[in-house]
Amino acid sequence: AGTVDGVGPWFNRLYNANRRGGNKVSDSGFVKRAHEQGLFVHPYTFRSDALPPGFSDFDSLLEFAVGTLAVDGFFTDFPGAAIRFLKGRKTT
């Protein structure tokens, strides 16, 4: 962390998909470990037309990344859909 401020991993490295358990996804721990080292995490590339395994729609993908994993930002080819999601997201 003394050399860089953040990392930009491929999103699929940040979670585990259990296809046998009904497409359940779980945190791989990557983001937490990066945050413990003082690093920002901005994964790539979030696409609504090519969802990664375990996600049925773009909003559930973004909710998992932002809400569950607590990524600091992300790269997407669909900024309009991402902005709509972020503006409509309820935070507590």
Side-chain angles (χ1 to χ4, degrees), residues 11 14-16 25-28 55 59-70 85:
F11 176 73
L14 306 184
Y15 81 104
N16 302 306
V25 295
S26 62
D27 184 345
S28 72
F55 297 95
D59 284 357
S60 65
L61 168 62
L62 293 177
E63 182 58 41
F64 182 75
V66 173
T68 302
L69 299 180
F85 167 79

Side-chain angles (χ1 to χ4, degrees), residues 9-19 23-31 33 41 43-44 46 50-56 60-61 64-65 68-69 71:
W10 180 40
F11 176 73
N12 290 23
R13 297 283 183 233
L14 306 184
Y15 81 104
N16 302 306
N18 180 355
R19 292 182 185 96
N23 267 352
K24 293 182 181 179
V25 295
S26 62
D27 184 345
S28 72
F30 183 103
V31 176
R33 289 189 305 274
V41 180
Y44 68 90
F46 289 69
L51 296 168
F55 297 95
S56 60
S60 65
L61 168 62
F64 182 75
T68 302
L69 299 180
V71 299

Side-chain angles (χ1 to χ4, degrees), residues 69-83:
L69 299 180
V71 299
D72 303 293
F74 54 86
F75 295 93
T76 182
D77 291 335
F78 298 86
I83 290 169

